[in-house]
Amino acid sequence: MSNPDGTTAVWVRDRLDGLWRDEDFVDWYPRDGRPGLSPAQLATVCVLQFLLGLSDRQAAEA
């Protein structure tokens, strides 16, 4: 295993898993069509981005 102690991303995922569901964000998206990304996953990525102090570009590249 390359990271026996885990990574920040895994730590965040393990602790936030189930905190948000896509249904929690239903009012934020139009009724026609489907969002390209899971809103719950996007919320988790935003938390990770904040914790790691990454810019939008850095987060997208990571």
Tab-separated table of all heavy atoms in Angstrom:
chain	number	residue	atom	x	y	z
A	1	MET	N	0.856	-1.178	0.000
A	1	MET	CA	0.000	0.000	0.000
A	1	MET	C	0.899	1.237	0.000
A	1	MET	O	1.831	1.347	0.788
A	1	MET	CB	-0.904	-0.043	1.233
A	1	MET	CG	-1.824	1.139	1.345
A	1	MET	SD	-2.795	1.074	2.857
A	1	MET	CE	-4.368	0.666	2.168
A	2	SER	N	0.607	2.182	-0.861
A	2	SER	CA	1.465	3.359	-0.984
A	2	SER	C	1.290	4.349	0.168
A	2	SER	O	2.202	5.104	0.471
A	2	SER	CB	1.220	4.051	-2.324
A	2	SER	OG	-0.104	4.508	-2.389
A	3	ASN	N	0.137	4.385	0.786
A	3	ASN	CA	-0.132	5.274	1.929
A	3	ASN	C	-0.743	4.463	3.064
A	3	ASN	O	-1.953	4.496	3.282
A	3	ASN	CB	-1.096	6.406	1.531
A	3	ASN	CG	-0.463	7.402	0.617
A	3	ASN	OD1	0.654	7.837	0.858
A	3	ASN	ND2	-1.158	7.752	-0.441
A	4	PRO	N	0.095	3.774	3.841
A	4	PRO	CA	-0.470	2.915	4.887
A	4	PRO	C	-1.275	3.671	5.940
A	4	PRO	O	-2.177	3.113	6.545
A	4	PRO	CB	0.760	2.254	5.513
A	4	PRO	CG	1.928	3.043	5.054
A	4	PRO	CD	1.532	3.742	3.793
A	5	ASP	N	-0.966	4.949	6.137
A	5	ASP	CA	-1.722	5.752	7.098
A	5	ASP	C	-2.917	6.446	6.459
A	5	ASP	O	-3.629	7.192	7.115
A	5	ASP	CB	-0.812	6.806	7.750
A	5	ASP	CG	0.290	6.166	8.581
A	5	ASP	OD1	0.027	5.090	9.164
A	5	ASP	OD2	1.389	6.720	8.634
A	6	GLY	N	-3.133	6.221	5.162
A	6	GLY	CA	-4.228	6.858	4.454
A	6	GLY	C	-3.857	8.253	3.974
A	6	GLY	O	-2.746	8.727	4.182
A	7	THR	N	-4.791	8.886	3.314
A	7	THR	CA	-4.588	10.234	2.806
A	7	THR	C	-5.666	11.139	3.369
A	7	THR	O	-6.665	10.663	3.929
A	7	THR	CB	-4.668	10.263	1.264
A	7	THR	OG1	-6.004	9.899	0.876
A	7	THR	CG2	-3.665	9.321	0.614
A	8	THR	N	-5.475	12.429	3.214
A	8	THR	CA	-6.485	13.388	3.671
A	8	THR	C	-7.812	13.130	2.967
A	8	THR	O	-8.874	13.181	3.589
A	8	THR	CB	-6.017	14.828	3.423
A	8	THR	OG1	-4.760	15.022	4.080
A	8	THR	CG2	-7.020	15.831	3.954
A	9	ALA	N	-7.753	12.825	1.687
A	9	ALA	CA	-8.986	12.574	0.928
A	9	ALA	C	-9.747	11.382	1.489
A	9	ALA	O	-10.971	11.424	1.628
A	9	ALA	CB	-8.660	12.353	-0.545
A	10	VAL	N	-9.041	10.319	1.828
A	10	VAL	CA	-9.693	9.134	2.388
A	10	VAL	C	-10.255	9.454	3.767
A	10	VAL	O	-11.373	9.043	4.111
A	10	VAL	CB	-8.704	7.945	2.441
A	10	VAL	CG1	-9.282	6.776	3.221
A	10	VAL	CG2	-8.325	7.517	1.036
A	11	TRP	N	-9.507	10.193	4.569
A	11	TRP	CA	-9.968	10.578	5.906
A	11	TRP	C	-11.272	11.376	5.813
A	11	TRP	O	-12.225	11.103	6.532
A	11	TRP	CB	-8.872	11.393	6.597
A	11	TRP	CG	-9.168	11.752	8.003
A	11	TRP	CD1	-8.891	11.020	9.119
A	11	TRP	CD2	-9.817	12.951	8.464
A	11	TRP	NE1	-9.324	11.687	10.239
A	11	TRP	CE2	-9.893	12.868	9.876
A	11	TRP	CE3	-10.327	14.069	7.833
A	11	TRP	CZ2	-10.471	13.877	10.641
A	11	TRP	CZ3	-10.906	15.062	8.605
A	11	TRP	CH2	-10.976	14.966	9.990
A	12	VAL	N	-11.291	12.364	4.908
A	12	VAL	CA	-12.497	13.186	4.732
A	12	VAL	C	-13.649	12.325	4.242
A	12	VAL	O	-14.762	12.404	4.757
A	12	VAL	CB	-12.222	14.363	3.763
A	12	VAL	CG1	-13.511	15.028	3.326
A	12	VAL	CG2	-11.291	15.370	4.409
A	13	ARG	N	-13.404	11.489	3.248
A	13	ARG	CA	-14.462	10.621	2.715
A	13	ARG	C	-15.045	9.727	3.805
A	13	ARG	O	-16.258	9.599	3.937
A	13	ARG	CB	-13.924	9.764	1.582
A	13	ARG	CG	-15.011	8.906	0.933
A	13	ARG	CD	-14.509	7.644	0.314
A	13	ARG	NE	-13.853	6.830	1.321
A	13	ARG	CZ	-12.911	5.944	1.029
A	13	ARG	NH1	-12.505	5.770	-0.194
A	13	ARG	NH2	-12.352	5.220	1.991
A	14	ASP	N	-14.180	9.128	4.599
A	14	ASP	CA	-14.654	8.218	5.646
A	14	ASP	C	-15.507	8.928	6.691
A	14	ASP	O	-16.453	8.366	7.223
A	14	ASP	CB	-13.471	7.539	6.334
A	14	ASP	CG	-12.771	6.529	5.448
A	14	ASP	OD1	-13.339	6.166	4.387
A	14	ASP	OD2	-11.657	6.115	5.808
A	15	ARG	N	-15.182	10.158	6.990
A	15	ARG	CA	-15.911	10.871	8.023
A	15	ARG	C	-17.171	11.577	7.507
A	15	ARG	O	-18.116	11.782	8.251
A	15	ARG	CB	-15.002	11.863	8.717
A	15	ARG	CG	-14.166	11.142	9.769
A	15	ARG	CD	-12.796	11.709	9.956
A	15	ARG	NE	-11.993	10.882	10.849
A	15	ARG	CZ	-11.301	9.816	10.460
A	15	ARG	NH1	-11.336	9.416	9.205
A	15	ARG	NH2	-10.571	9.126	11.307
A	16	LEU	N	-17.168	11.962	6.247
A	16	LEU	CA	-18.322	12.676	5.692
A	16	LEU	C	-19.255	11.773	4.901
A	16	LEU	O	-20.314	12.222	4.465
A	16	LEU	CB	-17.861	13.839	4.811
A	16	LEU	CG	-17.052	14.934	5.496
A	16	LEU	CD1	-16.726	16.032	4.504
A	16	LEU	CD2	-17.779	15.496	6.692
A	17	ASP	N	-18.881	10.526	4.723
A	17	ASP	CA	-19.697	9.604	3.941
A	17	ASP	C	-21.101	9.520	4.532
A	17	ASP	O	-21.280	9.249	5.717
A	17	ASP	CB	-19.061	8.215	3.915
A	17	ASP	CG	-19.768	7.282	2.965
A	17	ASP	OD1	-20.167	7.742	1.877
A	17	ASP	OD2	-19.930	6.097	3.305
A	18	GLY	N	-22.074	9.809	3.733
A	18	GLY	CA	-23.463	9.758	4.167
A	18	GLY	C	-23.977	11.049	4.780
A	18	GLY	O	-25.162	11.161	5.063
A	19	LEU	N	-23.093	12.019	5.000
A	19	LEU	CA	-23.533	13.291	5.578
A	19	LEU	C	-24.467	14.018	4.615
A	19	LEU	O	-25.467	14.592	5.021
A	19	LEU	CB	-22.329	14.167	5.910
A	19	LEU	CG	-22.631	15.531	6.522
A	19	LEU	CD1	-23.330	15.374	7.871
A	19	LEU	CD2	-21.356	16.333	6.693
A	20	TRP	N	-24.107	13.994	3.334
A	20	TRP	CA	-24.937	14.621	2.305
A	20	TRP	C	-25.416	13.561	1.336
A	20	TRP	O	-24.736	12.593	1.056
A	20	TRP	CB	-24.118	15.632	1.500
A	20	TRP	CG	-23.644	16.784	2.295
A	20	TRP	CD1	-24.421	17.734	2.891
A	20	TRP	CD2	-22.296	17.130	2.596
A	20	TRP	NE1	-23.630	18.652	3.534
A	20	TRP	CE2	-22.321	18.306	3.368
A	20	TRP	CE3	-21.067	16.578	2.282
A	20	TRP	CZ2	-21.180	18.931	3.820
A	20	TRP	CZ3	-19.929	17.180	2.740
A	20	TRP	CH2	-19.987	18.344	3.504
A	21	ARG	N	-26.620	13.784	0.821
A	21	ARG	CA	-27.171	12.932	-0.234
A	21	ARG	C	-27.550	13.842	-1.394
A	21	ARG	O	-27.837	15.023	-1.191
A	21	ARG	CB	-28.409	12.191	0.266
A	21	ARG	CG	-28.138	11.266	1.437
A	21	ARG	CD	-29.420	10.794	2.067
A	21	ARG	NE	-30.227	11.962	2.392
A	21	ARG	CZ	-31.551	11.982	2.404
A	21	ARG	NH1	-32.241	10.930	2.129
A	21	ARG	NH2	-32.195	13.079	2.699
A	22	ASP	N	-27.576	13.319	-2.572
A	22	ASP	CA	-27.966	14.120	-3.739
A	22	ASP	C	-29.338	14.750	-3.545
A	22	ASP	O	-29.583	15.872	-3.964
A	22	ASP	CB	-27.942	13.280	-5.006
A	22	ASP	CG	-26.532	12.909	-5.444
A	22	ASP	OD1	-25.565	13.553	-4.979
A	22	ASP	OD2	-26.394	11.987	-6.258
A	23	GLU	N	-30.224	14.045	-2.862
A	23	GLU	CA	-31.578	14.549	-2.636
A	23	GLU	C	-31.577	15.827	-1.792
A	23	GLU	O	-32.503	16.635	-1.878
A	23	GLU	CB	-32.436	13.481	-1.948
A	23	GLU	CG	-32.666	12.243	-2.777
A	23	GLU	CD	-31.490	11.271	-2.770
A	23	GLU	OE1	-30.678	11.269	-1.810
A	23	GLU	OE2	-31.354	10.517	-3.746
A	24	ASP	N	-30.534	16.033	-0.995
A	24	ASP	CA	-30.436	17.243	-0.174
A	24	ASP	C	-30.256	18.496	-1.021
A	24	ASP	O	-30.504	19.604	-0.560
A	24	ASP	CB	-29.262	17.141	0.808
A	24	ASP	CG	-29.429	16.022	1.815
A	24	ASP	OD1	-30.588	15.652	2.122
A	24	ASP	OD2	-28.402	15.509	2.288
A	25	PHE	N	-29.828	18.325	-2.267
A	25	PHE	CA	-29.518	19.455	-3.144
A	25	PHE	C	-30.507	19.599	-4.288
A	25	PHE	O	-30.276	20.339	-5.223
A	25	PHE	CB	-28.104	19.285	-3.716
A	25	PHE	CG	-27.037	19.216	-2.656
A	25	PHE	CD1	-26.629	17.994	-2.151
A	25	PHE	CD2	-26.459	20.371	-2.163
A	25	PHE	CE1	-25.653	17.928	-1.166
A	25	PHE	CE2	-25.485	20.317	-1.183
A	25	PHE	CZ	-25.079	19.091	-0.680
A	26	VAL	N	-31.604	18.880	-4.219
A	26	VAL	CA	-32.550	18.830	-5.333
A	26	VAL	C	-33.075	20.225	-5.713
A	26	VAL	O	-33.284	20.504	-6.894
A	26	VAL	CB	-33.682	17.827	-5.011
A	26	VAL	CG1	-34.922	18.479	-4.473
A	26	VAL	CG2	-34.002	16.989	-6.188
A	27	ASP	N	-33.253	21.102	-4.759
A	27	ASP	CA	-33.773	22.442	-5.051
A	27	ASP	C	-32.736	23.336	-5.730
A	27	ASP	O	-33.076	24.400	-6.242
A	27	ASP	CB	-34.256	23.124	-3.773
A	27	ASP	CG	-35.482	22.445	-3.192
A	27	ASP	OD1	-36.207	21.767	-3.949
A	27	ASP	OD2	-35.709	22.585	-1.974
A	28	TRP	N	-31.490	22.950	-5.731
A	28	TRP	CA	-30.416	23.761	-6.320
A	28	TRP	C	-30.254	23.519	-7.822
A	28	TRP	O	-29.548	24.247	-8.489
A	28	TRP	CB	-29.088	23.445	-5.655
A	28	TRP	CG	-29.017	23.820	-4.211
A	28	TRP	CD1	-30.055	24.166	-3.375
A	28	TRP	CD2	-27.857	23.881	-3.409
A	28	TRP	NE1	-29.587	24.430	-2.117
A	28	TRP	CE2	-28.241	24.257	-2.110
A	28	TRP	CE3	-26.510	23.642	-3.673
A	28	TRP	CZ2	-27.337	24.407	-1.076
A	28	TRP	CZ3	-25.613	23.793	-2.630
A	28	TRP	CH2	-26.015	24.172	-1.363
A	29	TYR	N	-30.902	22.467	-8.331
A	29	TYR	CA	-30.735	22.092	-9.731
A	29	TYR	C	-32.066	22.187	-10.466
A	29	TYR	O	-33.122	21.977	-9.876
A	29	TYR	CB	-30.197	20.660	-9.830
A	29	TYR	CG	-28.750	20.566	-9.413
A	29	TYR	CD1	-28.402	20.311	-8.098
A	29	TYR	CD2	-27.733	20.756	-10.337
A	29	TYR	CE1	-27.073	20.244	-7.708
A	29	TYR	CE2	-26.406	20.693	-9.955
A	29	TYR	CZ	-26.087	20.430	-8.649
A	29	TYR	OH	-24.780	20.366	-8.264
A	30	PRO	N	-32.009	22.475	-11.751
A	30	PRO	CA	-33.251	22.533	-12.528
A	30	PRO	C	-33.904	21.153	-12.582
A	30	PRO	O	-33.243	20.132	-12.446
A	30	PRO	CB	-32.789	22.977	-13.921
A	30	PRO	CG	-31.340	22.680	-13.981
A	30	PRO	CD	-30.827	22.716	-12.579
A	31	ARG	N	-35.200	21.170	-12.762
A	31	ARG	CA	-35.947	19.908	-12.794
A	31	ARG	C	-35.734	19.135	-14.098
A	31	ARG	O	-35.856	17.926	-14.119
A	31	ARG	CB	-37.438	20.186	-12.613
A	31	ARG	CG	-37.724	20.963	-11.343
A	31	ARG	CD	-38.599	20.187	-10.397
A	31	ARG	NE	-38.942	20.974	-9.222
A	31	ARG	CZ	-38.264	20.926	-8.089
A	31	ARG	NH1	-37.222	20.178	-7.986
A	31	ARG	NH2	-38.631	21.643	-7.046
A	32	ASP	N	-35.418	19.841	-15.168
A	32	ASP	CA	-35.185	19.144	-16.439
A	32	ASP	C	-33.689	18.885	-16.601
A	32	ASP	O	-32.859	19.733	-16.368
A	32	ASP	CB	-35.736	19.950	-17.620
A	32	ASP	CG	-35.152	21.341	-17.691
A	32	ASP	OD1	-34.580	21.812	-16.687
A	32	ASP	OD2	-35.249	21.962	-18.756
A	33	GLY	N	-33.375	17.694	-16.930
A	33	GLY	CA	-31.977	17.326	-17.085
A	33	GLY	C	-31.393	16.815	-15.782
A	33	GLY	O	-32.047	16.780	-14.750
A	34	ARG	N	-30.164	16.441	-15.865
A	34	ARG	CA	-29.495	15.839	-14.726
A	34	ARG	C	-28.168	16.546	-14.505
A	34	ARG	O	-27.467	16.864	-15.466
A	34	ARG	CB	-29.262	14.368	-15.054
A	34	ARG	CG	-28.670	13.561	-13.972
A	34	ARG	CD	-28.631	12.088	-14.397
A	34	ARG	NE	-27.447	11.514	-13.788
A	34	ARG	CZ	-26.641	10.679	-14.369
A	34	ARG	NH1	-26.870	10.281	-15.597
A	34	ARG	NH2	-25.611	10.206	-13.747
A	35	PRO	N	-27.774	16.797	-13.253
A	35	PRO	CA	-26.479	17.436	-13.021
A	35	PRO	C	-25.337	16.547	-13.500
A	35	PRO	O	-25.432	15.317	-13.447
A	35	PRO	CB	-26.434	17.633	-11.515
A	35	PRO	CG	-27.412	16.685	-10.953
A	35	PRO	CD	-28.463	16.474	-12.014
A	36	GLY	N	-24.282	17.156	-13.963
A	36	GLY	CA	-23.140	16.400	-14.466
A	36	GLY	C	-22.376	15.689	-13.368
A	36	GLY	O	-21.790	14.645	-13.582
A	37	LEU	N	-22.364	16.254	-12.176
A	37	LEU	CA	-21.654	15.661	-11.048
A	37	LEU	C	-22.621	15.440	-9.903
A	37	LEU	O	-23.595	16.161	-9.756
A	37	LEU	CB	-20.537	16.599	-10.569
A	37	LEU	CG	-19.436	16.916	-11.554
A	37	LEU	CD1	-18.523	18.007	-11.001
A	37	LEU	CD2	-18.631	15.672	-11.873
A	38	SER	N	-22.311	14.477	-9.088
A	38	SER	CA	-23.126	14.239	-7.908
A	38	SER	C	-22.984	15.429	-6.966
A	38	SER	O	-21.872	15.771	-6.557
A	38	SER	CB	-22.654	12.967	-7.207
A	38	SER	OG	-23.095	12.934	-5.868
A	39	PRO	N	-24.065	16.105	-6.609
A	39	PRO	CA	-23.980	17.243	-5.695
A	39	PRO	C	-23.357	16.868	-4.350
A	39	PRO	O	-22.611	17.644	-3.764
A	39	PRO	CB	-25.423	17.692	-5.525
A	39	PRO	CG	-26.162	17.126	-6.677
A	39	PRO	CD	-25.434	15.886	-7.069
A	40	ALA	N	-23.630	15.672	-3.856
A	40	ALA	CA	-23.063	15.240	-2.581
A	40	ALA	C	-21.550	15.074	-2.694
A	40	ALA	O	-20.805	15.473	-1.796
A	40	ALA	CB	-23.716	13.946	-2.132
A	41	GLN	N	-21.089	14.524	-3.804
A	41	GLN	CA	-19.644	14.385	-4.012
A	41	GLN	C	-18.997	15.749	-4.159
A	41	GLN	O	-17.900	15.987	-3.638
A	41	GLN	CB	-19.355	13.537	-5.247
A	41	GLN	CG	-19.620	12.072	-5.045
A	41	GLN	CD	-19.359	11.274	-6.307
A	41	GLN	OE1	-19.509	11.768	-7.416
A	41	GLN	NE2	-18.976	10.026	-6.131
A	42	LEU	N	-19.647	16.641	-4.853
A	42	LEU	CA	-19.121	17.986	-5.035
A	42	LEU	C	-18.987	18.705	-3.693
A	42	LEU	O	-17.984	19.374	-3.437
A	42	LEU	CB	-20.017	18.784	-5.983
A	42	LEU	CG	-19.529	20.159	-6.383
A	42	LEU	CD1	-18.148	20.098	-7.016
A	42	LEU	CD2	-20.516	20.800	-7.339
A	43	ALA	N	-19.960	18.533	-2.797
A	43	ALA	CA	-19.882	19.145	-1.470
A	43	ALA	C	-18.690	18.590	-0.696
A	43	ALA	O	-17.955	19.343	-0.045
A	43	ALA	CB	-21.182	18.901	-0.703
A	44	THR	N	-18.463	17.299	-0.796
A	44	THR	CA	-17.326	16.678	-0.114
A	44	THR	C	-16.011	17.177	-0.683
A	44	THR	O	-15.068	17.466	0.060
A	44	THR	CB	-17.422	15.145	-0.216
A	44	THR	OG1	-18.672	14.724	0.333
A	44	THR	CG2	-16.284	14.466	0.522
A	45	VAL	N	-15.929	17.327	-1.990
A	45	VAL	CA	-14.719	17.850	-2.625
A	45	VAL	C	-14.455	19.288	-2.177
A	45	VAL	O	-13.305	19.664	-1.938
A	45	VAL	CB	-14.820	17.755	-4.164
A	45	VAL	CG1	-13.718	18.538	-4.844
A	45	VAL	CG2	-14.781	16.303	-4.598
A	46	CYS	N	-15.493	20.077	-2.020
A	46	CYS	CA	-15.320	21.458	-1.550
A	46	CYS	C	-14.730	21.498	-0.143
A	46	CYS	O	-13.869	22.330	0.159
A	46	CYS	CB	-16.652	22.208	-1.589
A	46	CYS	SG	-17.214	22.597	-3.250
A	47	VAL	N	-15.165	20.586	0.725
A	47	VAL	CA	-14.600	20.501	2.075
A	47	VAL	C	-13.128	20.112	1.991
A	47	VAL	O	-12.269	20.708	2.648
A	47	VAL	CB	-15.394	19.500	2.943
A	47	VAL	CG1	-14.670	19.208	4.249
A	47	VAL	CG2	-16.789	20.016	3.201
A	48	LEU	N	-12.819	19.122	1.174
A	48	LEU	CA	-11.432	18.693	0.999
A	48	LEU	C	-10.573	19.823	0.445
A	48	LEU	O	-9.453	20.059	0.913
A	48	LEU	CB	-11.385	17.473	0.077
A	48	LEU	CG	-10.019	16.852	-0.147
A	48	LEU	CD1	-9.407	16.391	1.170
A	48	LEU	CD2	-10.122	15.699	-1.121
A	49	GLN	N	-11.086	20.543	-0.516
A	49	GLN	CA	-10.376	21.677	-1.107
A	49	GLN	C	-10.053	22.714	-0.028
A	49	GLN	O	-8.934	23.225	0.044
A	49	GLN	CB	-11.202	22.305	-2.218
A	49	GLN	CG	-10.545	23.504	-2.868
A	49	GLN	CD	-11.414	24.139	-3.944
A	49	GLN	OE1	-12.492	23.657	-4.263
A	49	GLN	NE2	-10.945	25.220	-4.511
A	50	PHE	N	-11.000	22.994	0.830
A	50	PHE	CA	-10.795	23.952	1.910
A	50	PHE	C	-9.733	23.451	2.896
A	50	PHE	O	-8.825	24.188	3.288
A	50	PHE	CB	-12.113	24.213	2.640
A	50	PHE	CG	-11.958	25.054	3.866
A	50	PHE	CD1	-11.810	26.425	3.771
A	50	PHE	CD2	-11.937	24.458	5.117
A	50	PHE	CE1	-11.651	27.202	4.915
A	50	PHE	CE2	-11.787	25.227	6.269
A	50	PHE	CZ	-11.635	26.601	6.160
A	51	LEU	N	-9.845	22.187	3.302
A	51	LEU	CA	-8.906	21.632	4.279
A	51	LEU	C	-7.467	21.637	3.767
A	51	LEU	O	-6.535	21.857	4.531
A	51	LEU	CB	-9.300	20.199	4.646
A	51	LEU	CG	-10.518	20.047	5.536
A	51	LEU	CD1	-10.870	18.575	5.705
A	51	LEU	CD2	-10.270	20.683	6.888
A	52	LEU	N	-7.305	21.391	2.474
A	52	LEU	CA	-5.964	21.343	1.889
A	52	LEU	C	-5.483	22.702	1.413
A	52	LEU	O	-4.341	22.830	0.976
A	52	LEU	CB	-5.932	20.332	0.735
A	52	LEU	CG	-6.185	18.886	1.141
A	52	LEU	CD1	-6.192	17.998	-0.091
A	52	LEU	CD2	-5.137	18.407	2.141
A	53	GLY	N	-6.360	23.705	1.458
A	53	GLY	CA	-5.981	25.055	1.029
A	53	GLY	C	-5.670	25.123	-0.458
A	53	GLY	O	-4.751	25.831	-0.863
A	54	LEU	N	-6.454	24.421	-1.252
A	54	LEU	CA	-6.215	24.386	-2.694
A	54	LEU	C	-7.066	25.428	-3.426
A	54	LEU	O	-8.222	25.650	-3.067
A	54	LEU	CB	-6.576	23.004	-3.260
A	54	LEU	CG	-5.798	21.822	-2.703
A	54	LEU	CD1	-6.359	20.531	-3.271
A	54	LEU	CD2	-4.317	21.948	-3.000
A	55	SER	N	-6.478	26.012	-4.456
A	55	SER	CA	-7.259	26.882	-5.337
A	55	SER	C	-8.163	26.000	-6.189
A	55	SER	O	-8.018	24.774	-6.202
A	55	SER	CB	-6.323	27.688	-6.248
A	55	SER	OG	-5.689	26.822	-7.184
A	56	ASP	N	-9.094	26.611	-6.909
A	56	ASP	CA	-9.963	25.829	-7.787
A	56	ASP	C	-9.139	25.055	-8.810
A	56	ASP	O	-9.392	23.877	-9.073
A	56	ASP	CB	-10.974	26.735	-8.496
A	56	ASP	CG	-12.025	27.284	-7.556
A	56	ASP	OD1	-12.185	26.723	-6.457
A	56	ASP	OD2	-12.682	28.274	-7.922
A	57	ARG	N	-8.155	25.699	-9.383
A	57	ARG	CA	-7.305	25.042	-10.391
A	57	ARG	C	-6.530	23.865	-9.779
A	57	ARG	O	-6.464	22.804	-10.348
A	57	ARG	CB	-6.337	26.037	-11.022
A	57	ARG	CG	-5.450	25.409	-12.097
A	57	ARG	CD	-4.544	26.440	-12.741
A	57	ARG	NE	-5.277	27.465	-13.443
A	57	ARG	CZ	-5.661	27.371	-14.718
A	57	ARG	NH1	-5.383	26.301	-15.406
A	57	ARG	NH2	-6.316	28.362	-15.272
A	58	GLN	N	-5.960	24.093	-8.591
A	58	GLN	CA	-5.207	23.038	-7.929
A	58	GLN	C	-6.114	21.852	-7.594
A	58	GLN	O	-5.719	20.699	-7.746
A	58	GLN	CB	-4.551	23.556	-6.658
A	58	GLN	CG	-3.412	24.517	-6.896
A	58	GLN	CD	-2.985	25.199	-5.610
A	58	GLN	OE1	-3.809	25.549	-4.765
A	58	GLN	NE2	-1.675	25.386	-5.454
A	59	ALA	N	-7.307	22.142	-7.139
A	59	ALA	CA	-8.248	21.071	-6.808
A	59	ALA	C	-8.632	20.278	-8.049
A	59	ALA	O	-8.723	19.054	-8.019
A	59	ALA	CB	-9.493	21.650	-6.136
A	60	ALA	N	-8.858	20.970	-9.163
A	60	ALA	CA	-9.219	20.290	-10.410
A	60	ALA	C	-8.065	19.416	-10.894
A	60	ALA	O	-8.286	18.294	-11.370
A	60	ALA	CB	-9.583	21.317	-11.480
A	61	GLU	N	-6.853	19.892	-10.735
A	61	GLU	CA	-5.690	19.112	-11.170
A	61	GLU	C	-5.434	17.916	-10.250
A	61	GLU	O	-4.933	16.887	-10.684
A	61	GLU	CB	-4.461	19.993	-11.249
A	61	GLU	CG	-4.528	20.995	-12.378
A	61	GLU	CD	-3.393	22.015	-12.360
A	61	GLU	OE1	-2.571	21.991	-11.425
A	61	GLU	OE2	-3.337	22.834	-13.299
A	62	ALA	N	-5.785	18.085	-8.977
A	62	ALA	CA	-5.565	16.982	-8.014
A	62	ALA	C	-6.585	15.874	-8.248
A	62	ALA	O	-6.377	14.752	-7.960
A	62	ALA	CB	-5.660	17.501	-6.591
